[in-house]
Amino acid sequence: MRRTAMRSDIMKKGLERTPHRGLMRATGLADEDFKKPYIGVCNSYTNIVPGHCHLKKVGEIICDAIREAGGVPYEFNTIAVCDGIAMGHSGMKYSLASREIIADSVETMGSAHPFDAMICIPNCDKVVPGMLMGAMRLNIPTIFASGGPMRAGKTEGVSHNTDLNSIFEGVAARVVDKIDDAQLHELECTACPGPGSCSGMFTANSMNCLCEALGIALPGNGTIAADSPERVEYWRRAARRIVELAKMENPPRAKDFVTAKSFRNALVLDMAMGGSSNTVLHTLAVANEAGLKVDIKDLDEISKATPNICRLAPSRGEFHIVEECNRVGGIMAILKEIAKKPGMIDGSAPTVSGKTLAEQYAAAPDADGTVIRTLDNPYSEKGGLAILFGNLAENGCVVKAAGVDPKMLVHKGPAVIFESQEEACEGILGGKVREGDVVVIRYEGPKGGPGMQEMLAPTSYIMGRGLGSSVALVTDGRFSGATHGACIGHVSPEAAAGGLIGLVEPGDMIEIDIPNRTVRLDVPEAVIAERRKSWKPREPKIKTGYLAKYASLATSADTGGVLKVN
């Protein structure tokens, strides 16, 4: 039954909207279409990004299903940056910054053209949170239907499945002659075998999985393979459901799902599955748009209470999102197991399927005990992410504890300082970093970078040179979701904002204690005070264009790196 009033009526109903209908008829609409709900189809298709290169076809599948279900689809696009392709050069500065452009684009399109509902087709890192931020601003019925994860690679001579991270580590292994040119070329040709978001529990897959716990995506959003028949049916099911929501008299809106209750469920899932450290940045930013108060300290309290029961690549290299996690029941199976611990999951949270979260995960299989461990045999009693505090990070910093070698959970070593990612890559490959060191990469935060570029290359080079069990890394920048090792990022306040990380000198001792959640510069306070007297803000690295505007508005990572207008 048609709703009494639709949001889209403001642009299509009545005498004064005759010109508007005339314009819409030019797009192919007929009389009967003006009675149907209008569904915005927010697609992030671009053929340069492997996670998105198939989304043109996905948009067609979803639009066809919307028409069949009695809706009118209006497809529009956002940009999408491939972090892997942008990695290691100045293009990476635009990656996090693209999140804000995407959010603004969703808000702009959905406000200028008042859709009755929206289905979002994201896949990669900044696109998922960017669309979520835009969806919170619009607050209309919304379903997320991602492009799906890539399958893992099969590489000759490698005993387990491979992925993008395997190639980055292969570069460092080639530099020290652990592998030859032919082996590296074989990795290059086989580790990323087809479309989809990169195959481990990296940032893109982490965010797509969190959408299931938030209740804004149907089960399977994060784990069903991008190139499978099951994924096609998933897209069609999501399209039919968004039309059902749009036709309701009082349809549930985006913020009805992304609530304080569902947000906590998502954070528990994040810790239980060992998600990317970048999820901290993005969940804080989405919470900000949803009007929810989430402090970085809250995340650590949740982590302390949440057993880590699932570890996929990069934390455990032989397990991947499709081949292992989806096979044993996916995200709903993880939620089902973690919900057995009292107080962890609020199963009453609503979802876009029309069922509660508990009703959804009740249908999932029990934990298999290997890929998804049971509560009596977790990988660790605490969650996969940890928030550290100390004089080096007064407002906090983040480490993916699930991916840290046990020997590096507590570490003290001399600082080896690099003023940029590029300088760090050159120094690590050039042998400037030795066992026991603490690599410091600074002026790479949201304001100082600008853009807080990901640093998969330097962390992979550390691993590839065989230093993963003896070298730590601390930065005000961030890491790829593929990063593992004692890599501490998001140091806040950042160097460009006057943070202590900007005052560290070569050879200073840095103490890291992940179990006790501390990171500190072991230098007398009197010495630090003298250094502060001589500190001056640096000239911006970029003074024109979008990044200059972004840097002038960006906040440090402890607030999600969001933009604040004075």
Side-chain angles (χ1 to χ4, degrees):
M1 185 177 72
R2 182 184 181 275
R3 284 163 57 181
T4 305
M6 291 189 281
R7 184 172 182 262
S8 60
D9 286 347
I10 195 173
M11 63 175 171
K12 68 182 183 184
K13 188 176 181 180
L15 175 65
E16 293 179 350
R17 296 297 178 256
T18 303
H20 302 62
R21 292 192 296 274
L23 289 168
M24 285 184 269
R25 288 180 190 277
T27 70
L29 265 60
D31 284 346
E32 62 271 17
D33 294 316
F34 296 106
K35 302 174 185 177
K36 301 174 182 177
Y38 285 9
I39 312 296
V41 179
C42 179
N43 198 341
S44 51
Y45 163 73
T46 170
N47 62 1
I48 195 172
V49 181
H52 297 239
C53 62
H54 61 308
L55 297 189
K56 186 176 183 180
K57 183 63 176 177
V58 175
E60 294 173 359
I61 292 170
I62 285 176
C63 286
D64 287 346
I66 287 172
R67 291 188 192 95
E68 291 169 4
V72 176
Y74 274 116
E75 188 173 6
F76 65 95
N77 284 80
T78 71
I79 61 171
V81 171
C82 177
D83 286 12
I85 296 173
M87 193 81 64
H89 58 86
S90 60
M92 178 48 76
K93 294 179 183 295
Y94 287 87
S95 176
L96 180 61
S98 74
R99 185 187 71 184
E100 316 308 313
I101 297 175
I102 293 164
D104 291 349
S105 297
V106 174
E107 176 192 359
T108 299
M109 287 298 293
S111 299
H113 316 97
F115 304 124
D116 298 299
M118 180 170 64
I119 187 165
C120 291
I121 314 172
N123 222 22
C124 291
D125 300 30
K126 293 342 136 294
V127 184
V128 185
M131 287 187 181
L132 278 169
M133 291 164 71
M136 294 305 101
R137 296 177 193 175
L138 291 177
N139 197 26
I140 61 176
T142 303
I143 290 179
F144 274 63
S146 81
M150 183 187 295
R151 297 180 188 272
K154 309 286 185 183
T155 303
E156 186 176 350
V158 179
S159 59
H160 55 76
N161 291 336
T162 52
D163 52 47
L164 175 64
N165 200 36
S166 307
I167 309 175
F168 273 98
E169 292 184 4
V171 172
R174 179 67 193 93
V175 170
V176 295
D177 292 322
K178 286 186 176 181
I179 62 175
D180 59 27
D181 287 341
Q183 290 171 304
L184 183 59
H185 186 257
E186 178 67 13
L187 267 175
E188 176 187 332
C189 294
T190 58
C192 299
S197 47
C198 294
S199 57
M201 189 57 80
F202 309 146
T203 307
N205 287 332
S206 296
M207 291 304 301
N208 284 324
C209 291
L210 292 190
C211 285
E212 294 188 41
L214 282 172
I216 204 164
L218 298 174
N221 183 67
T223 61
I224 300 172
D227 59 351
S228 65
E230 292 79 10
R231 194 81 204 182
V232 174
E233 178 50 37
Y234 175 87
W235 292 319
R236 288 175 175 154
R237 189 164 66 250
R240 292 192 293 267
R241 181 58 182 164
I242 195 61
V243 176
E244 289 176 359
L245 292 178
K247 288 181 177 180
M248 291 181 180
E249 184 63 34
N250 293 297
R253 299 180 294 175
K255 288 185 181 180
D256 293 328
F257 301 111
V258 184
T259 63
K261 183 189 301 185
S262 67
F263 218 91
R264 191 182 188 284
N265 288 339
L267 294 174
V268 169
L269 170 65
D270 200 9
M271 304 307 168
M273 71 181 185
S276 163
S277 61
N278 284 318
T279 58
V280 175
L281 267 179
H282 300 321
T283 51
L284 289 170
V286 175
N288 178 67
E289 297 291 351
L292 301 173
K293 299 295 183 183
V294 178
D295 189 281
I296 193 169
K297 293 179 182 178
D298 298 335
L299 277 65
D300 195 54
E301 290 305 311
I302 291 172
S303 180
K304 288 177 182 177
T306 308
N308 178 217
I309 59 172
C310 182
R311 288 188 180 177
L312 307 176
S315 298
R316 185 164 177 171
E318 71 270 30
F319 288 168
H320 287 81
I321 197 85
V322 172
E323 289 77 6
E324 281 77 32
C325 188
N326 189 66
R327 176 177 56 81
V328 300
I331 297 310
M332 290 300 130
I334 297 174
L335 289 171
K336 183 178 183 179
E337 183 63 24
I338 206 68
K340 293 176 182 177
K341 182 177 179 180
M344 296 309 299
I345 295 293
D346 189 332
S348 68
T351 74
V352 291
S353 71
K355 299 179 180 178
T356 65
L357 189 64
E359 288 172 331
Q360 287 189 162
Y361 62 66
D366 293 329
D368 71 308
T370 302
V371 179
I372 303 172
R373 291 190 176 184
T374 54
L375 285 179
D376 59 2
N377 182 37
Y379 284 101
S380 65
E381 293 294 339
K382 296 182 179 180
L385 299 178
I387 312 298
L388 314 184
F389 294 90
N391 67 350
L392 195 56
E394 293 180 7
N395 295 340
C397 57
V398 182
V399 62
K400 189 172 184 175
V404 178
D405 188 306
K407 294 192 290 290
M408 292 298 294
L409 290 172
V410 178
H411 180 75
K412 182 175 182 178
V416 179
I417 299 173
F418 301 105
E419 305 293 344
S420 69
Q421 178 190 211
E422 293 77 12
E423 186 180 310
C425 290
E426 183 179 344
I428 295 166
L429 291 177
K432 292 183 179 180
V433 177
R434 300 179 181 179
E435 290 187 10
D437 287 342
V438 177
V439 174
V440 175
I441 307 176
R442 62 193 182 191
Y443 289 95
E444 286 291 5
K447 186 177 294 292
M452 204 182 186
Q453 60 182 329
E454 279 189 357
M455 300 189 205
L456 178 56
T459 59
S460 296
Y461 295 163
I462 288 171
M463 301 300 292
R465 290 185 69 90
L467 299 171
S469 60
S470 62
V471 168
L473 191 156
V474 177
T475 180
D476 54 8
R478 64 192 178 90
F479 302 117
S480 164
T483 292
H484 57 129
C487 300
I488 298 166
H490 306 197
V491 168
S492 299
E494 61 175 293
L500 184 58
I501 190 172
L503 302 179
V504 180
E505 294 186 357
D508 284 350
M509 298 301 291
I510 294 176
E511 297 179 344
I512 299 164
D513 187 338
I514 295 173
N516 288 309
R517 304 298 205 256
T518 61
V519 56
R520 64 181 300 274
L521 178 65
D522 188 15
V523 171
E525 284 299 322
V527 174
I528 292 174
E530 284 299 314
R531 292 181 187 178
R532 286 198 185 280
K533 290 179 183 178
S534 60
W535 183 83
K536 295 180 181 179
R538 293 192 176 189
E539 282 285 308
K541 293 179 183 177
I542 296 175
K543 299 180 181 180
T544 60
Y546 174 60
L547 287 181
K549 179 172 66 174
Y550 176 88
S552 71
L553 301 174
T555 60
S556 289
D558 60 301
T559 60
V562 298
L563 305 187
K564 293 282 188 178
V565 179
N566 292 329

